[in-house]
Amino acid sequence: METKQDMLRKLPAIHKLVDHPEIRKWMDTDRISADFITQLAQLVVDDVRHGILNEQVQSITDDMIIRRLHHQIREVVEPRIKRVINGTGVVLHTNLGRAVLAEEAVRQIVSVARSYSNLEYRLQEGKRGSRHEHVEELIKLLTGAEAAMVVNNNAAAVFLVLREMARHQEVVVSRGQLVEIGGSFRVSEIMKQSDARLVEVGTTNKTHVHDYEQAITEETALLMKVHTSNFRTVGFTREVSLEELVELGQKYNIPVYEDLGSGVMYDLASKGVGDEPLIQDSIRQGADLVTFSGDKLLGAPQAGIIAGKKKWIDRLKKNQLARVLRVDKMTLAGLDATLRLYLNPERASREIPAIRDIVVDVEHIRQKAEQFVSMVEGHLAASVTVEEDVSEVGGGTLPAVTIPTVVVAIRPESMPVHQLERNLRYGSPPVVGRVNKDTFLLDFRTIPDEEVDELAHAVQQACRV
């Protein structure tokens, strides 16, 4: 057995690693310079040396170190954010990037990204403009709001509203609506950070109008309603409707703010999917301010959208945080293109992937699954069957709502199911699905027609590895 000193002496010189034929190939691709390869080689050798001294490495060879360096170079030169085939059936999969953008939005983003644009320039007047103008008119038209603005996500929108409207003052909210979403974002914590003072009313399962009214003082700046988009309370429950809250706010001259969270503009309930409140309904019912996400049920890029009464939106626009939280030209381009699709709801349901994949007919999903099975049958050491199942919308939206779907169940015979799952994740492109006991499931709700051929090839490759 080699001693530590023997192994340390065998560590190759950095220049020899850089000059190795397998490593020099990377320089020939023009993707990385010799200087950066030298830095990576040093890191690899340092890591191996550390492993030797800590008895984590028992033996070394030049080939082993070359392989490590090769892997390290590949890690930095290849894109870290990659296209993934989503076979989970979760339409708004937070870990997989949430809403897939419409082709119209992608084209608009690329057009704006690769050239100069009128981001803050009024072409008709030849004067400086505001980036808010590009989507504000569309949001007003689609929702009925008097004014609107956009920040970088809905958490930022909530923070800005609370900071501007209720700093060092009180915000009354139902105890049953103190939600927590992903990343430990809590309404109560964001309120603390905004320097607004939280006043909880009611109980976990029941809140009445008189609970809000009894909590109103001279320090009350906002009456807040939070849509519980990621959970439901059922049974012996009561919550105050937005109309009731608006009536109370008007009685005491206090603005009413509703955080819708996921935010939906297309009437999914008319298609039998959930009962999410529409943004335009909240505006129509009198909310002074409404906030919602861009990259969830709206199907747009990540953004926080604030819509409502002009006098309040004007205040928010003037807050110094509006610049801190502002969005870039690519976000605005994608949001603008997505919102324009909503001018024709039927077109929106066809061309916005988030909406399309939620309301798609189950028979179309079945056709894709059967096409896939016909392509792989007889080429896999596995049983492959088409089965009924259910999908979830995901992204902290439509809790307790499941949608009938069709999956392909793959039960490998030559390897454990976890190895198949791993092989697919490591593939190019990576494929992510679901594992249920000894079965790997691919839900074709989230697999577009154009990916079926590619997926069939990926599965065949994964079963051979």
Side-chain angles (χ1 to χ4, degrees):
M1 182 177 177
E2 291 181 302
T3 66
K4 289 182 182 180
Q5 291 304 316
D6 291 337
M7 287 188 284
L8 290 171
R9 279 193 291 269
K10 287 174 65 176
L11 287 173
I14 301 301
H15 72 274
K16 289 186 176 181
L17 289 176
V18 176
D19 285 337
H20 192 281
E22 287 299 312
I23 301 304
R24 291 201 66 83
K25 287 179 182 178
W26 285 107
M27 285 180 271
D28 295 339
T29 66
D30 205 31
R31 296 167 73 185
I32 186 169
S33 70
D35 288 344
F36 284 114
I37 289 180
T38 300
Q39 289 185 42
L40 293 175
Q42 186 65 62
L43 289 173
V44 168
V45 171
D46 287 347
D47 185 59
V48 174
R49 181 182 292 111
H50 183 268
I52 292 169
L53 294 174
N54 288 278
E55 299 182 354
Q56 295 168 335
V57 174
Q58 304 303 318
S59 65
I60 66 166
T61 63
D62 286 352
D63 283 348
M64 178 196 82
I65 295 175
I66 291 296
R67 283 197 305 273
R68 288 196 181 193
L69 179 54
H70 188 79
H71 174 76
Q72 193 81 358
I73 296 171
R74 184 183 296 278
E75 283 286 298
V76 299
V77 301
E78 294 189 350
R80 299 300 296 268
I81 300 180
K82 305 176 181 180
R83 179 175 72 92
V84 171
I85 294 179
N86 177 11
T88 68
V90 179
V91 178
L92 299 173
H93 200 304
T94 298
N95 302 132
L96 301 184
R98 286 196 183 151
V100 174
L101 299 184
E103 284 299 320
E104 183 78 13
V106 173
R107 284 192 293 270
Q108 183 70 4
I109 290 169
V110 171
S111 173
V112 167
R114 66 171 16 142
S115 61
Y116 294 100
S117 67
N118 62 328
L119 178 65
E120 292 187 352
Y121 187 72
R122 293 175 179 168
L123 294 170
Q124 294 172 333
E125 301 173 19
K127 296 179 181 178
R128 180 172 182 169
S130 166
R131 64 183 62 201
H132 294 299
E133 296 170 349
H134 298 291
V135 294
E136 184 172 19
E137 291 303 316
L138 272 172
I139 296 169
K140 287 163 57 178
L141 178 63
L142 291 166
T143 66
E146 293 178 6
M149 65 181 294
V150 180
V151 292
N152 57 16
N153 61 27
N154 193 50
V158 174
F159 181 82
L160 180 59
V161 169
L162 293 174
R163 180 80 171 185
E164 173 59 33
M165 302 288 292
R167 189 180 185 192
H168 303 313
Q169 293 180 283
E170 295 175 351
V171 179
V172 184
V173 62
S174 169
R175 181 171 282 108
Q177 295 173 1
L178 294 176
V179 301
E180 176 178 322
I181 62 173
S184 298
F185 171 81
R186 295 179 177 181
V187 168
S188 56
E189 290 301 315
I190 205 69
M191 201 172 290
K192 184 188 299 182
Q193 293 294 321
S194 72
D195 288 332
R197 295 197 298 273
L198 169 66
V199 178
E200 299 178 39
V201 297
T203 63
T204 303
N205 61 316
K206 279 201 170 192
T207 303
H208 303 271
V209 175
H210 62 77
D211 293 318
Y212 281 91
E213 189 163 19
Q214 290 170 2
I216 292 174
T217 70
E218 293 181 355
E219 291 295 304
T220 304
L222 272 182
L223 300 179
M224 183 176 181
K225 182 176 176 64
V226 181
H227 175 54
T228 54
S229 57
N230 64 349
F231 75 95
R232 287 287 183 270
T233 304
V234 297
F236 190 57
T237 64
R238 169 74 165 87
E239 71 172 85
V240 177
S241 69
L242 180 58
E243 295 100 320
E244 291 173 308
L245 207 56
V246 167
E247 185 179 344
L248 183 64
Q250 291 172 345
K251 178 179 177 180
Y252 289 93
N253 197 30
I254 299 171
V256 173
Y257 160 45
E258 182 172 32
D259 174 30
L260 283 172
S262 54
V264 59
M265 202 172 282
Y266 182 86
D267 189 3
L268 293 171
S270 68
K271 303 293 185 179
V273 181
D275 58 356
E276 285 290 293
L278 296 173
I279 300 159
Q280 50 269 41
D281 285 348
S282 293
I283 296 294
R284 180 179 51 77
Q285 290 162 16
D288 291 277
L289 289 169
V290 174
T291 56
F292 52 95
S293 294
D295 61 340
K296 293 188 178 180
L297 292 172
L298 195 66
Q302 177 182 298
I305 301 169
I306 311 172
K309 303 287 173 58
K310 186 177 186 301
K311 65 177 180 178
W312 305 124
I313 297 291
D314 286 348
R315 274 182 57 178
L316 295 172
K317 287 178 179 177
K318 292 174 183 176
N319 190 297
Q320 293 299 306
L321 284 172
R323 183 175 179 85
V324 176
L325 304 173
R326 73 181 186 178
V327 292
D328 70 344
K329 61 184 180 181
M330 278 83 79
T331 299
L332 286 169
L335 180 58
D336 172 53
T338 305
L339 290 171
R340 281 189 280 106
L341 292 173
Y342 280 101
L343 294 171
N344 181 342
E346 288 308 307
R347 184 185 178 199
S349 70
R350 294 192 307 270
E351 297 189 22
I352 298 175
I355 304 299
R356 178 198 67 207
D357 292 347
I358 291 172
V359 303
V360 64
D361 186 82
V362 72
E363 286 309 309
H364 181 65
I365 303 174
R366 186 185 306 280
Q367 288 171 11
K368 290 187 290 183
E370 290 175 347
Q371 178 189 351
F372 170 84
V373 169
S374 70
M375 296 172 71
V376 301
E377 225 167 12
H379 300 283
L380 304 180
S383 70
V384 184
T385 56
V386 174
E387 300 178 4
E388 310 286 337
D389 209 323
V390 292
S391 305
E392 295 180 0
V393 175
T397 68
L398 294 167
V401 172
T402 55
I403 316 170
T405 193
V406 176
V407 302
V408 169
I410 303 173
R411 297 174 178 86
E413 298 166 355
S414 60
M415 63 178 69
V417 68
H418 70 266
Q419 185 179 336
L420 173 61
E421 185 271 340
R422 181 180 181 276
N423 291 347
L424 285 166
R425 273 193 294 111
Y426 277 50
S428 180
V431 176
V432 179
R434 290 187 272 137
V435 173
N436 182 16
K437 297 180 180 177
D438 63 344
T439 305
F440 185 77
L441 300 174
L442 289 168
D443 187 336
F444 278 74
R445 176 177 298 279
T446 47
I447 299 169
D449 296 354
E450 60 269 21
E451 288 184 349
V452 175
D453 286 1
E454 193 175 22
L455 177 61
H457 178 73
V459 170
Q460 290 177 50
Q461 289 295 110
C463 284
R464 293 193 190 109
V465 175

